[in-house]
Amino acid sequence: MKSYDTELAARALGAADGSGHGRVTLQNGIDNVEAIASVVGSGAVLAGAVYIALQLSSPGVVLRTGGPGRIVFGELSGP
């Protein structure tokens, strides 16, 4: 998904329903978290990052070159 599709995708998920379910985004790009929060509310969004070492070895071929990757995410308020 590209950044220009983020708000539309968030709308397809629907607004936060108070059930405690959150939305996690691992997109790179600017303002994706804010675009989702504008639809579902900032309390229902978890921002995240993926850390993994990759190398493009040839067109269309990506090699994982590092150790274990990791995904880190959390609430926008900091906890």
Side-chain angles (χ1 to χ4, degrees):
M1 172 179 28
K2 296 293 186 181
S3 291
Y4 52 77
D5 293 321
T6 300
E7 186 175 340
L8 181 63
R11 290 189 189 289
L13 292 172
D17 58 8
S19 64
H21 295 112
R23 277 69 168 175
V24 177
T25 180
L26 300 173
Q27 293 173 276
N28 57 359
I30 299 173
D31 298 330
N32 292 314
V33 171
E34 291 81 2
I36 296 168
S38 73
V39 175
V40 302
S42 61
V45 179
L46 301 173
V50 176
Y51 298 92
I52 188 166
L54 302 173
Q55 177 182 348
L56 183 62
S57 66
S58 62
V61 178
V62 178
L63 295 176
R64 185 169 169 189
T65 58
R70 64 188 175 123
I71 298 173
V72 179
F73 59 92
E75 297 173 352
L76 299 180
S77 60

